[in-house]
Amino acid sequence: MRRILSVLMENEPGALSRVVGLFSQRGYNIESLNVAPTTDNTLSRLTLTTTGDDLKIEQITKHLNKIVDVVKVVDLTEGAHVERDMLLVKVRAEGAQRDEVKRTTDIFRGQIIDVGPATYIVQLTGPIDKLDSFLSALGEAEILEVVRSGVAGMARGEKVLTI
Amino acid sequence: MEQLSGGDMIVRALEDEGVEYIFGYPGGAALHIYDSIFKANSVPHILVRHEQAATHAADGYARATGKAGVVLVTSGPGATNAITGIATAYMDSIPMVVISGQVQSHLIGEDAFQETDMVGISRPIVKHSFLVQRTEDIPSIIKKAFYIATTGRPGPVVVDVPKDLTHPEHKFNYEYPESVSMRSYQPSTKGHSGQVRKAARLLLNAKRPVIYAGGGVIQGEGSELLTRLARKLNYPVTNTLMGLGVYPATDRQFLGMLGMHGFYEANMAMHHSDVILAVGARFDDRVTNTVSKFCPGAKIIHIDVDPASIAKIVPVDVPIVGPVTTVLKDLDAQIDQQQSSSERTLPDAGAIADWWSQIDNWRAAHGLWHGRRYGDSDFIMPQDAITALYEATDGEAYVTSDVGQHQMFAAQYYKFDHPRRWINSGGLGTMGFGLPAAMGIKLAMPDAEVACVTGEGSIQMNIQELSTCAQYDVSVKIVNLRNNYLGMVKQWQDMQYDSRYSESHYASSLPDFVKLAEAYGHVGMEIKDKADLEPAMREAFAMKDKLVFLDIFVEPHEHVYPMQVAPNGAMKDMWLSKTERT
Ligand SMILES: Cc1ncc(C[n+]2csc(CCOP(=O)(O)OP(=O)(O)O)c2C)c(N)n1
Ligand SMILES: [Mg+2]
């Protein structure tokens, strides 16, 4: 089962490598990883998606908590939550494709953020499956390059992850 | 406020931390620190002959005293040489602070002379590590290093210090913090009371209980409490290889060690139990044998300070996270309360008596200390050598060991009645551990008897420390069970590879250990004759201020038994001799 773990950790050099190292050392896989400072610049927030049964996720959570730099760990998938991934895709946009790509982008409420003589960069934000279906909806258009931010997520409602 | 250089700060912080010894080896990146050591002349430094030995010596010191061991090494090869010892300490949860010199800050990342990414290379084998970035941070980092190393589940902490930050002319305010608090590190201080209640109920209603105690009980100073609890309930106790000494070996309720080379009665009792109280133990694969066949009828209570140890290998019915002392006290109180409020007597005396008679039958059948369970030969038997050691030291010595058959014989035949006396590398299984560890212990406790049980293979992995022992008058006794083979390897080759001894012997290349010991200024004794064993052992221990190397020629073809059947065996499946199995 796919899980989204949110981790608050000290914004210290080496902290990220400890988290990533844990996954490789213990044979857990990371599907996506997103990390950036928070409003409190002593803390970073990391969102990580992985797969595993309850037992495995429990072990991962315990081991994450053991890392001295880690302040808090939550499994977002345990409750109601929102998740967003951001996609940038560079597509060939020539001739008929130029309009076609624009139309598909509009349908998915994406934005064209760079217009070249023969290319577009489209930006799209949403849950993973929306981004996946956008990519397949591009259909005939030639995809030149794709980059995704990795999932970022938050619990819905009153629940907050702070210290 | 006092102004100190980074080098001086390190030495002063160690002094303020109450450090008794630094085990180390100098080199370029650490030279400012070494100059500070010279000038301060406060904390004694032990110059080893190889950085691996520094870590093992600090480790032995820590295991025997309960305090953190301290290591100082230079960058590059100094740091990498320390790695095996750090991993050894990590696997057995031993508190240790390793300070490593690093190349100057501006050179980091440039493949400078003797540069190694110490924080990176040690990352999977440390509890935590620091790369110092500002001299001003040194006092608080050292304070944190000791705090992290010694609290919760202990472990090694690396502090990597770039040379420029220790420069004698760059001085900053020095104040050693009184205390530490870290929002990201808060070890548990108390077990969950609801779980403790459940555990008490389960324990009191057990019919075939076993208490399974590991190294965590020693680390957590819980031996006395555990012993009291076991005696109160009249429940049998088995200790892991790391837990020997938790429960007194000579007590009637002790079943011996469990696991791969565990006692028949201990493994049988575990397999047939209905309730297991696991304390500070981690269900290592050297204990459980095939996990899916592990103790099929048992409900498990697991007490550990590390939540990640619980339910890692086997599912647990009652997990309790907390320090062993507070949890055992709470459990004890709960047991009292449930006993007094119950209408029946708990535990069921009849059931427990039946369980004991079953255990006594197992003991009578194959118990290691209930009859002679090994053969004889013209050679001295290794088991007899350990018994002679036990007797010559009245069972009171600190015994370190290396890794191999000799280690298992020592664990089986030296009856440890106190915690912290049996010092071995259980988790990593590091050959070369024994002699430097013994050195660390003897320095910490100069009046104690310290013996290193070793093999001719293992001792050669850190034999250079005989020189360190000469320099600091470290009068340990080395008990070399010389079987002329990498005996444990040979045993597996006998059992699984039709006795094809691939690279498990040394032809006739072994040194004359007596002469070797003498060359370092020590005493060497060669013991071949059975009749000489006991007198020689006594003679050696009578030489209080001498290091004595006892080179004991033992039966080369002896195996360690019991040995659990693998693969696919349960705990109860054991070889009891070369021909007999359960
Ligand atoms: C550093 C290291 N290398 C290899 C091993 C694998 N190993 C385990 S026991 C053993 C043989 C040890 O021989 P010796 O010290 O003579 O002890 P004996 O088994 O003969 O008593 C070996 C090679 C190890 N544990 N540690
Ligand atoms: Mg040998």
Side-chain angles (χ1 to χ4, degrees):
Chain A
M1 195 186 143
R2 178 172 158 276
R3 303 295 189 109
I4 307 173
L5 301 179
S6 255
V7 180
L8 270 188
M9 60 184 193
E10 298 289 354
N11 192 1
E12 293 276 349
L16 180 60
S17 74
R18 280 186 244 274
V19 171
V20 175
L22 166 70
F23 278 74
S24 61
Q25 184 186 341
R26 301 211 176 249
Y28 308 138
N29 71 315
I30 298 180
E31 281 181 3
S32 79
L33 179 67
N34 167 291
V35 56
T38 62
T39 46
D40 173 352
N41 64 10
T42 66
L43 285 173
S44 311
R45 176 148 174 172
L46 182 148
T47 313
L48 191 151
T49 55
T50 182
T51 47
D53 55 20
D54 286 352
L55 216 69
K56 189 156 171 189
I57 298 299
E58 189 184 322
Q59 272 304 309
I60 293 178
T61 310
K62 283 174 172 177
H63 281 296
L64 281 171
N65 271 311
K66 249 176 95 168
I67 295 176
V68 169
D69 289 326
V70 168
V71 186
K72 258 187 193 166
V73 183
V74 209
D75 179 355
L76 289 180
T77 19
E78 269 182 353
H81 66 279
V82 291
E83 51 175 284
R84 289 293 179 270
D85 195 350
M86 190 178 82
L87 166 81
L88 298 180
V89 52
K90 186 177 285 181
V91 282
R92 179 75 58 211
E94 284 173 315
Q97 283 302 335
R98 227 169 151 82
D99 275 352
E100 189 55 38
V101 170
K102 169 118 188 24
R103 250 196 309 279
T104 317
T105 302
D106 288 342
I107 293 170
F108 280 82
R109 298 206 199 129
Q111 289 161 287
I112 295 171
I113 58 171
D114 180 70
V115 181
T119 60
Y120 283 153
I121 296 178
V122 180
Q123 170 193 310
L124 186 67
T125 305
I128 290 183
D129 47 357
K130 175 176 165 188
L131 308 194
D132 290 343
S133 30
F134 175 68
L135 287 176
S136 45
L138 281 175
E140 301 285 278
E142 189 191 348
I143 295 176
L144 300 170
E145 193 181 338
V146 173
V147 60
R148 293 166 76 148
S149 64
V151 171
M154 228 180 232
R156 288 183 184 274
E158 292 291 315
K159 248 196 238 163
V160 283
L161 176 58
T162 52
I163 49 166
Chain B
M1 203 185 290
E2 204 177 356
Q3 300 267 306
L4 294 180
S5 74
D8 293 346
M9 282 188 186
I10 291 174
V11 178
R12 180 57 100 52
L14 296 181
E15 198 183 328
D16 287 343
E17 194 58 46
V19 171
E20 286 182 301
Y21 287 104
I22 303 168
F23 299 91
Y25 208 92
L31 283 185
H32 294 327
I33 308 174
Y34 271 90
D35 196 47
S36 299
I37 289 179
F38 186 91
K39 286 185 298 191
N41 193 23
S42 51
V43 188
H45 178 280
I46 303 297
L47 176 68
V48 293
R49 300 297 181 266
H50 187 296
E51 290 86 351
Q52 182 187 349
T55 51
H56 292 330
D59 181 323
Y61 170 92
R63 291 181 202 233
T65 62
K67 294 184 239 170
V70 177
V71 176
L72 175 59
V73 295
T74 189
S75 65
T80 53
N81 272 353
I83 290 295
T84 300
I86 297 173
T88 303
Y90 180 73
M91 288 295 276
D92 290 342
S93 312
I94 304 304
M96 182 185 289
V97 172
V98 179
I99 299 169
S100 49
Q102 181 53 279
V103 301
Q104 299 180 55
S105 312
H106 71 275
L107 295 177
I108 291 180
E110 299 193 345
D111 300 323
F113 176 63
Q114 296 197 325
E115 179 185 358
T116 268
D117 174 8
M118 180 56 164
V119 165
I121 208 168
S122 65
R123 200 203 64 236
I125 51 162
V126 294
K127 183 167 173 188
H128 194 58
S129 49
F130 296 92
L131 173 61
V132 180
Q133 290 176 310
R134 303 184 321 158
T135 306
E136 303 91 294
D137 296 339
I138 288 177
S140 70
I141 286 181
I142 298 220
K143 181 78 190 177
K144 279 184 193 165
F146 277 91
Y147 174 65
I148 294 169
T150 52
T151 51
R153 179 177 181 173
V157 176
V158 162
V159 181
D160 200 31
V161 195
K163 183 172 184 180
D164 49 315
L165 304 187
T166 59
H167 196 284
E169 274 161 26
H170 303 159
K171 298 191 177 179
F172 296 88
N173 287 340
Y174 175 83
E175 189 179 16
Y176 198 61
E178 296 260 310
S179 60
V180 202
S181 97
M182 295 172 70
R183 62 182 174 188
S184 63
Y185 174 72
Q186 282 158 359
S188 130
T189 53
K190 198 174 177 333
H192 188 279
S193 56
Q195 294 295 77
V196 173
R197 242 188 330 271
K198 259 200 240 167
R201 196 172 319 124
L202 197 56
L203 262 186
L204 284 173
N205 288 292
K207 295 194 159 45
R208 298 183 310 281
V210 180
I211 299 174
Y212 150 47
V217 184
I218 296 179
Q219 299 286 329
E221 301 291 352
S223 301
E224 239 172 83
L225 287 164
L226 184 128
T227 302
R228 207 167 67 205
L229 183 76
R231 288 207 171 120
K232 179 157 97 182
L233 294 170
N234 184 29
Y235 284 3
V237 186
T238 174
N239 291 339
T240 66
L241 178 68
M242 294 310 299
L244 294 178
V246 166
Y247 192 84
T250 52
D251 188 278
R252 182 189 62 85
Q253 282 168 245
F254 187 55
L255 302 182
M257 178 171 78
L258 81 170
M260 176 174 279
H261 292 297
F263 289 28
Y264 175 76
E265 58 270 47
N267 286 344
M268 292 301 272
M270 283 290 286
H271 184 85
H272 292 96
S273 64
D274 68 342
V275 174
I276 294 172
L277 173 63
V279 193
R282 58 187 179 89
F283 297 84
D284 184 89
D285 50 274
R286 285 293 190 264
V287 162
T288 57
N289 211 356
T290 312
V291 171
S292 58
K293 296 183 179 171
F294 179 73
C295 304
K299 292 236 184 294
I300 298 174
I301 304 161
H302 191 180
I303 302 172
D304 205 290
V305 74
D306 176 13
S309 274
I310 293 180
K312 182 176 67 175
I313 311 288
V314 296
V316 166
D317 300 277
V318 186
I320 307 177
V321 178
V324 39
T325 43
T326 41
V327 175
L328 285 179
K329 269 185 213 152
D330 292 350
L331 183 60
D332 197 62
Q334 255 309 308
I335 284 174
D336 282 348
Q337 196 182 323
Q338 292 186 19
Q339 277 179 324
S340 56
S341 63
S342 159
E343 285 153 26
R344 310 178 280 133
T345 355
L346 292 173
D348 177 344
I352 301 301
D354 287 350
W355 182 226
W356 272 115
S357 74
Q358 168 68 76
I359 289 170
D360 285 337
N361 287 341
W362 285 326
R363 280 174 165 167
H366 303 290
L368 221 51
W369 297 345
H370 302 264
R372 188 184 166 98
R373 305 296 178 192
Y374 50 96
D376 212 345
S377 89
D378 292 340
F379 284 93
I380 292 170
M381 295 302 286
Q383 297 91 334
D384 291 332
I386 302 296
T387 304
L389 170 66
Y390 178 74
E391 278 162 9
T393 54
D394 298 322
E396 294 289 323
Y398 287 79
V399 179
T400 72
S401 91
D402 273 299
V403 176
Q405 291 183 317
H406 61 272
Q407 175 190 26
M408 292 302 133
F409 289 130
Q412 290 180 335
Y413 289 93
Y414 199 103
K415 301 175 183 173
F416 293 94
D417 276 339
H418 315 285
R420 301 197 181 281
R421 297 294 172 95
W422 165 242
I423 312 275
N424 84 134
S425 163
L428 198 67
T430 310
M431 289 171 69
F433 174 81
L435 175 57
M439 230 161 59
I441 299 166
K442 187 70 183 173
L443 285 162
M445 277 166 287
D447 296 330
E449 299 288 14
V450 181
C452 163
V453 174
T454 185
E456 75 297 310
S458 295
I459 191 67
Q460 292 188 83
M461 284 215 179
N462 269 319
I463 190 111
Q464 77 286 346
E465 297 309 314
L466 286 175
S467 174
T468 312
C469 292
Q471 183 171 355
Y472 300 97
D473 294 321
V474 180
S475 51
V476 298
K477 307 295 182 274
I478 297 171
V479 178
N480 186 35
L481 301 189
R482 175 188 186 137
N483 54 12
N484 288 316
Y485 284 97
L486 297 172
M488 189 55 95
V489 172
K490 172 181 173 291
Q491 174 167 349
W492 284 57
Q493 290 170 337
D494 281 331
M495 295 176 78
Q496 295 179 18
Y497 301 92
D498 285 329
S499 300
R500 289 186 297 278
Y501 300 144
S502 177
E503 304 303 317
S504 54
H505 56 98
Y506 332 83
S508 45
S509 66
L510 286 177
D512 179 334
F513 285 110
V514 171
K515 280 197 191 137
L516 186 72
E518 287 169 359
Y520 282 107
H522 304 304
V523 178
M525 292 168 84
E526 189 177 87
I527 305 158
K528 287 184 165 163
D529 213 319
K530 286 183 181 179
D532 294 340
L533 179 60
E534 282 177 38
M537 200 68 92
R538 293 200 185 278
E539 193 189 330
F541 280 93
M543 288 184 255
K544 293 275 176 227
D545 51 1
K546 291 279 181 206
L547 183 151
V548 184
F549 192 115
L550 294 124
D551 193 19
I552 308 176
F553 287 60
V554 298
E555 167 57 50
H557 297 290
E558 183 60 345
H559 285 179
V560 182
Y561 293 109
M563 180 164 178
Q564 282 175 335
V565 173
N568 297 323
M571 281 209 83
K572 66 173 174 34
D573 302 323
M574 288 166 267
W575 286 98
L576 299 169
S577 71
K578 286 185 184 171
T579 50
E580 196 185 358
R581 57 168 285 187
T582 54

